[in-house]
Amino acid sequence: PIYLIRTKSELSDVPIHKFAHPIAVEFVDVRDSHDGLSRRYRYFAAGDQGMAMNVHCSDHWEVRGRNAVRNAQMEQEELEFIRQPDPNHERLQAARRALGLDFVAFDYSYDQDGELIVWEANVMPGLGYPEKSEHRSYLRAIAERALILTLNLYYRRSGLEVPECVSQNLEISADAWFDREVVTAA
């Protein structure tokens, strides 16, 4: 569990004795001044390729998928984010290289001054294929795109020729990805 401690007296409510290795980190308020929501963005990298993967908006200080606000406005905001190249691609790729990682998903936000705050580097990002749903139906397209980036890296690192269907899908822009026909092997 994660606890937000704002005062010294709140620390006594935390069962520190139950933690094997407790850590403390600075709390950074990332609430948007217009709507009061906190946003957590995810960038997925597979080698030098990367993509904007999702954004969760929450009225809670800890932003997770389980407490994200889900409505038409938030879905539209997420679609606008994922249909573009991630604005932090170069910076996050530099971080990936510095960490010596092939695969990583960076979770990040922006502070009150618009500065990038990286929360974590997920070295085992989930690439599960979501069930069909009437809400956020575009999640399958996101998973497909991440898997194409992953396949491309696997083929290149193994020294095998990248199949034409993978290469063709790589050429599709982030925006066009959601309006495309999937290119499959013959």
Side-chain angles (χ1 to χ4, degrees):
I2 299 173
Y3 296 88
L4 177 60
I5 301 167
R6 293 189 171 120
T7 66
K8 189 174 182 178
S9 64
E10 289 177 333
L11 183 59
S12 63
D13 296 333
V14 178
I16 292 178
H17 64 282
K18 292 184 178 181
F19 288 83
H21 302 286
I23 62 168
V25 296
E26 175 187 9
F27 172 73
V28 179
D29 188 357
V30 297
R31 286 177 295 170
D32 184 279
S33 60
H34 296 99
D35 62 14
L37 296 176
S38 297
R39 286 165 173 77
R40 192 278 294 146
Y41 302 88
R42 175 165 282 184
Y43 170 80
F44 172 73
D48 293 333
Q49 301 283 327
M51 60 182 269
M53 191 170 224
N54 64 42
V55 59
H56 292 309
C57 304
S58 179
D59 53 7
H60 192 263
W61 63 269
E62 180 189 14
V63 183
R64 301 280 183 185
R66 66 180 174 266
N67 68 14
V69 174
R70 299 280 182 227
N71 59 39
Q73 179 183 344
M74 295 298 105
E75 286 185 22
Q76 185 60 38
E77 182 175 326
E78 185 172 47
L79 271 170
E80 288 173 14
F81 173 69
I82 62 177
R83 290 181 79 104
Q84 304 299 317
D86 191 289
N88 299 294
H89 171 79
E90 294 300 328
R91 290 175 76 183
L92 295 173
Q93 280 290 332
R96 178 195 63 78
R97 287 188 297 276
L99 292 168
L101 299 172
D102 287 331
F103 294 99
V104 63
F106 288 101
D107 290 345
Y108 68 89
S109 297
Y110 297 98
D111 71 9
Q112 300 293 317
D113 297 322
E115 292 297 317
L116 179 70
I117 303 292
V118 175
W119 298 115
E120 63 181 317
N122 294 286
V123 297
M124 298 284 289
L127 295 179
Y129 200 67
E131 296 292 324
K132 278 195 169 187
S133 168
E134 62 186 70
H135 301 289
R136 298 175 76 210
S137 58
Y138 52 85
L139 290 178
R140 296 186 121 205
I142 293 170
E144 290 165 357
R145 189 156 189 253
L147 290 170
I148 288 292
L149 297 182
T150 302
L151 281 172
N152 178 61
L153 180 65
Y154 281 164
Y155 277 104
R156 291 187 183 284
R157 290 288 165 84
S158 67
L160 298 172
E161 183 178 337
V162 177
E164 187 175 337
C165 63
V166 173
S167 296
Q168 287 176 347
N169 277 300
L170 281 174
E171 294 173 10
I172 301 171
S173 71
D175 187 43
W177 185 265
F178 299 92
D179 303 321
R180 96 255 178 250
E181 293 282 330
V182 177
V183 179
T184 58

